[in-house]
Amino acid sequence: MTSDASPSRRAVLGLAAAAVPAALLATGAAPASAATAVGGERLGLDGIQVSPGGAPRLPHLAAQSWLVADYENGEVLASYRAHHRLPPASTLKMLFADTVLPKFDKTLKHRVTAADLAGIPEGSSLVGVEAGTSYTVDQLWHGVFLRSGNDAVHVLSAMNGGVPATVREMAAKAVDLQALDTHVVSPDGYDHPGQVSSAYDLSLFARHGLRNADFRGYCGTRIAEFPARGGKKFQIQNTDRLLGVYKGMIGVKNGYTTHAGNTFTGAATRDGRTLLVTVMHPVNGYDQVYKDTSALLDWGFRAAGKVTPVGTLVAPVSEGGRPSAAATPAPGPNAARAGSGGSGGSSYSWPLFGAGGGAAALLAAGTVAMRNRRPRRTRKH
């Protein structure tokens, strides 16, 4: 166990910003061409992608981006702007879990220090971790998955060598998973300039994570007990509104911030088939992300076996996946738009960096845009 002090939010952002050329911040860049889109050419196209003939009618959806895929074989049944880069909110915690969860025995105990909790963004969702109290790794992961606790994320990051080290490892993991739309600035998914992902990448994170029994168990847990001061405990409940409500729901992660809006990746099993659905940034309120997800799952279970896939969720490079031929995007006008959240969409422009071990990867695979003002306080989960 370690108790390395996590750097301040400003320090973490400074690390990211220091690596970004000013020219890239001044101009947007077009998304990678359809011909080089990870998972297939159609996934790089704008507009709804679904094969004609035999498929039930798609529901009307309010999201800026979405994707429905078969969990087992990775076939993408339908999508809309699958590689559109948007702020991910707490769905980025799936990548955090993919990266850090396998590292620590869940029975390991850690006594939290004030340094472990340093730098948590103001307005974050918290599970209630307190300095001076001991927690098992298992309890901390319950705090991450059920309550999206940024305090639990920062403690686990401190145990992992600190926030900057964890961000670097997450970036490297994204590269291995071929999630080339993703740029990691913080491990918790909080609103930071340049922190983006896509419906495609979030689906990769979920698919990879669900292969881990602990990951699957945590995201499917509805209620757990969490330690409090003086040896007491309190109950925490999963904020996933479809868990226990939608038939066959097994997880995985929801997210919300003021600027990102609502984001959700869900997985459900029915009649021996498991589907993955990711919905990013519906325009109509908090419940819409769950309505869209339910509608896509319903459609997917009806359409499975009747439609020709429009793409595929690729395998990680470390597991034999063929590295993507995605090229560095050229400057252009099509920067991604941030989601609605009370502030309206704002433009970003930021490259993607990945580094890990002794290797560093510079992947200018996404451009999204940098806000012209400081983010407002956000309540995030």
Side-chain angles (χ1 to χ4, degrees), residues 6 17 24 27 30 74 151 154 214 229 235 259 264 303 311 369-370 380:
S6 297
L24 285 175
T27 178
D151 45 359
H154 277 250
D214 288 332
R229 190 176 299 175
Q235 189 181 87
H259 291 300
F264 183 61
M370 194 173 176
K380 174 192 167 303

Side-chain angles (χ1 to χ4, degrees), residues 4 83-84 89 115 160 177 211 244 265 292 309 345:
D4 297 13
H83 287 290
H84 189 50
N160 190 51
L177 295 176
R211 294 174 179 172
T265 297
D292 284 3

Side-chain angles (χ1 to χ4, degrees), residues 172-183:
K173 187 68 173 179
V175 171
D176 178 58
L177 295 176
Q178 306 202 59
L180 305 186
D181 300 319
T182 298
H183 177 231

Side-chain angles (χ1 to χ4, degrees), residues 4-291:
D4 297 13
S6 297
S8 68
R9 178 186 178 195
R10 179 176 297 177
V12 175
L13 292 176
L15 283 172
V20 182
L24 285 175
L25 295 178
T27 178
S33 70
T36 61
V38 180
E41 181 176 348
R42 292 190 65 177
L43 299 183
L45 299 175
D46 204 7
I48 294 174
Q49 303 302 313
V50 64
S51 295
R57 186 180 181 88
L58 277 163
H60 176 73
L61 303 170
Q64 293 188 37
S65 175
W66 54 262
L67 180 147
V68 53
D70 189 296
Y71 164 76
E72 294 294 342
N73 57 31
E75 292 179 347
V76 178
L77 305 184
S79 69
Y80 174 61
R81 306 172 87 189
H83 287 290
H84 189 50
R85 300 174 182 106
L86 294 164
S90 279
T91 48
L92 193 65
K93 288 183 171 77
M94 293 188 293
L95 176 60
F96 173 71
D98 287 343
T99 305
V100 178
L101 193 152
K103 289 191 167 191
F104 299 103
D105 189 296
K106 60 184 180 181
T107 63
L108 179 67
K109 284 190 174 183
H110 177 76
R111 185 176 178 84
V112 174
T113 68
D116 294 342
L117 300 173
I120 297 173
E122 186 178 1
S124 289
S125 58
L126 305 171
V127 65
V129 176
E130 295 185 284
T133 300
S134 293
Y135 303 84
T136 65
V137 167
D138 183 63
Q139 290 165 335
L140 291 170
W141 281 115
H142 276 111
V144 171
F145 277 91
L146 275 65
R147 299 303 303 175
S148 221
N150 286 4
D151 45 359
V153 169
H154 277 250
V155 171
L156 287 163
S157 296
M159 294 173 65
N160 190 51
V163 167
T166 300
V167 167
R168 289 193 297 271
E169 290 179 14
M170 289 172 65
K173 187 68 173 179
V175 171
D176 178 58
L177 295 176
Q178 306 202 59
L180 305 186
D181 300 319
T182 298
H183 177 231
V184 184
V185 177
S186 70
D188 50 36
Y190 194 88
D191 285 333
H192 292 299
Q195 181 148 271
V196 291
S197 191
S198 67
Y200 185 87
D201 286 8
L202 295 177
S203 299
L204 289 179
F205 302 154
R207 188 179 186 220
H208 183 75
L210 287 171
R211 294 174 179 172
N212 181 299
D214 288 332
F215 182 110
R216 183 180 283 249
Y218 290 130
C219 73
T221 299
R222 296 178 63 188
I223 299 173
E225 289 190 332
F226 199 77
R229 190 176 299 175
K232 297 181 180 180
K233 293 183 178 181
F234 60 94
Q235 189 181 87
I236 57 174
Q237 297 181 335
N238 201 316
T239 57
D240 176 352
R241 292 193 176 188
L242 292 185
L243 198 61
V245 175
Y246 186 88
K247 181 181 178 182
M249 197 71 188
I250 58 176
V252 280
K253 192 72 189 75
N254 57 342
Y256 170 79
T257 63
T258 300
H259 291 300
N262 295 285
T263 301
F264 183 61
T265 297
T269 299
R270 188 178 297 175
D271 299 326
R273 185 187 298 274
T274 299
L275 297 181
L276 281 170
V277 165
T278 295
V279 173
M280 300 189 77
H281 307 215
V283 296
N284 302 320
Y286 183 73
D287 285 332
Q288 191 65 48
V289 73
Y290 298 106
K291 293 177 181 178

